[in-house]
Amino acid sequence: MLFSQLFFVAATLLSAASAALIAHGPIAACANEQVVDTAYIGANKDVKLTLSHCANAPLVNAHGEAVSHLAKRQSANVCGNACNTYCWAPAAGGPTTSDCTVIADALLYESQNTGVFFNATAFGTATNKITMTYNTCETFFLNQDTSSITYCRTEWSKLVNWLASDCSAANNAHGGLCVATDQRWYVQVQHN
Ligand SMILES: *[C@@H]1O[C@H](CO)[C@@H](O)[C@H](O)[C@H]1NC(C)=O
């Protein structure tokens, strides 16, 4: 196991300890989404991949709150970096966990067949939002840094499973997000 993977495990445990319910429902929706490309991924090519940009990107800070400023830039590869989890109350209206599992599995399949790493372009450019959808479940990776960053499908897959279970109806939530502690990116899971 790589050090970065060990670090992520520790970070995930920290996230578990700091998971918090936030009451104000999903943060700002992606307005006037400009879709650049779509494809179908996974072993069964049934998970939809969308590369896009939002007119008013839902930037959030490390507390899961909508913000209007950008984070500072550091190294480009942020795979395995720690993030803080926030879930939206109440229980009703979230994705079906098993639909999110299909996306998590497709991400692992792509990590083995396409590559572990992917790039998300800088905030403000055409493809800073990468979205995966399957049936009731949607997840996206949003780069809110001023330069492109590299993340990994393996960690995204783990976060999808983590958010789909920790922010599920059983925990009085209907989805949530994990925001990088340095605020440069976040992964969200919500109803499609
Ligand atoms: C990401 O971008 C960097 C810098 O342009 C490049 O070297 C790298 O090959 C890219 N990685 C992937 C997975 O596309």
Side-chain angles (χ1 to χ4, degrees):
M1 189 179 263
L2 296 170
F3 173 77
S4 63
Q5 288 172 317
L6 281 170
F7 180 77
F8 184 81
V9 170
T12 303
L13 293 173
L14 282 174
S15 296
S18 66
L21 277 176
I22 50 180
H24 46 73
I27 47 150
C30 174
N32 300 324
E33 187 163 19
Q34 305 287 312
V35 174
V36 172
D37 198 14
T38 60
Y40 284 86
I41 67 153
N44 299 318
K45 297 281 178 276
D46 54 1
V47 171
K48 188 179 184 183
L49 161 69
T50 304
L51 300 180
S52 68
H53 170 65
C54 311
N56 67 337
L59 291 178
V60 300
N61 65 17
H63 305 290
E65 302 158 336
V67 292
S68 58
H69 66 274
L70 292 167
K72 281 185 186 167
R73 160 176 189 273
Q74 294 163 35
S75 69
N77 192 328
V78 294
C79 172
N81 284 10
C83 58
N84 295 317
T85 300
Y86 300 91
C87 305
W88 304 305
T96 303
T97 303
S98 58
D99 288 341
C100 298
T101 304
V102 171
I103 298 179
D105 289 349
L107 280 163
L108 283 185
Y109 178 88
E110 289 303 317
S111 79
Q112 289 158 2
N113 291 279
T114 306
V116 173
F117 297 106
F118 65 91
N119 286 338
T121 59
F123 175 76
T125 64
T127 57
N128 76 307
K129 185 185 182 209
I130 302 169
T131 306
M132 305 279 175
T133 53
Y134 178 79
N135 201 4
T136 66
C137 188
E138 172 178 323
T139 181
F140 65 80
F141 180 95
L142 187 88
N143 181 6
Q144 45 183 15
D145 200 349
T146 49
S147 60
S148 73
I149 54 176
T150 301
Y151 199 65
C152 41
R153 296 180 171 96
T154 43
E155 301 302 339
W156 190 357
S157 175
K158 287 181 200 169
L159 281 177
V160 170
N161 281 331
W162 160 251
L163 289 167
S165 61
D166 202 63
C167 300
S168 67
N171 291 320
N172 193 34
H174 61 275
L177 66 167
C178 202
V179 188
T181 51
D182 63 7
Q183 308 180 25
R184 295 165 68 198
W185 55 270
Y186 66 92
V187 166
Q188 186 156 311
V189 169
Q190 64 187 45
H191 195 283
N192 176 33

